[in-house]
Amino acid sequence: MSLKKSAAVLAALALAGGAAQAVVVDTFGTLTATTALKYGSVSLPTFLVNDDFTFSLSAASTVQSNVVTAYGSITPAFYGIYKAGPDATFGTPDDIPVVGHTFSGVSSPQFDTLAAGNYSFKLFGLNAAPVSVYAIAASATALPVPEPETYALLAAGLGVIGFVASRRRRDY
């Protein structure tokens, strides 16, 4: 596809996306280390995909996500992770983008670090086949939080190093 054609398609998607309101299709609930899987389908050619899947995180976590076109063709195809805007409702124009990725028939997992809170996967693309089906998988692994003993050992180690360094200075 030529650069001019690609730019025209992206401009049309941007204009149509601004007018269309996303639909919250499903919710993952609270993401955990167990991978959750959801599906979506589009049955009209040249129909815009503009779907939201909400999820929440109970603690700061690394979120692994992957979206793949399982059947048909959605191109161009993008998905992002969003926080709800000031109106606290997902799928409205004031949603705040956190990170964005592309997807296709062969997609690789994406890893993003997010704080605790409520989020949404927002899928956006153009259906290029009579019927297309996409799948979205997601899981979250809580970030490790150092124990107080870790900081105590760090402080003790730095103290010993400082003591040894001061003794060496006095000896020379």
Side-chain angles (χ1 to χ4, degrees):
M1 190 183 307
S2 73
L3 183 61
K4 285 184 180 180
K5 214 179 220 184
S6 296
V9 168
L10 288 174
L13 284 174
L15 288 173
Q21 186 167 344
V23 176
V24 175
V25 176
D26 204 347
T27 183
F28 280 97
T30 301
L31 285 183
T32 62
T34 304
T35 300
L37 184 63
K38 301 290 181 179
Y39 296 95
S41 65
V42 188
S43 58
L44 297 172
T46 68
F47 188 75
L48 287 177
V49 177
N50 193 6
D51 296 341
D52 283 1
F53 292 83
T54 59
F55 67 96
S56 61
L57 297 172
S58 56
S61 303
T62 297
V63 174
Q64 177 182 351
S65 61
N66 190 11
V67 180
V68 64
T69 304
Y71 179 79
S73 176
I74 301 174
T75 183
F78 308 96
Y79 79 99
I81 298 176
Y82 285 73
K83 281 190 78 76
D87 68 357
T89 304
F90 284 109
T92 57
D94 69 341
D95 290 352
I96 303 162
V98 177
V99 67
H101 305 290
T102 61
F103 70 94
S104 64
V106 179
S107 186
S108 60
Q110 305 294 330
F111 297 87
D112 303 297
T113 302
L114 303 173
N118 296 318
Y119 295 90
S120 169
F121 289 113
K122 184 181 293 286
L123 282 77
F124 189 75
L126 183 63
N127 182 27
V131 175
S132 293
V133 176
Y134 64 85
I136 180 170
S139 63
T141 305
L143 296 175
V145 177
E147 298 288 332
E149 294 85 7
T150 304
Y151 292 116
L153 281 172
L154 175 65
L158 289 173
V160 167
I161 290 171
F163 176 75
V164 169
S166 70
R167 297 271 301 174
R168 283 189 180 175
R169 250 189 256 134
R170 276 190 258 157
D171 290 345
Y172 295 110

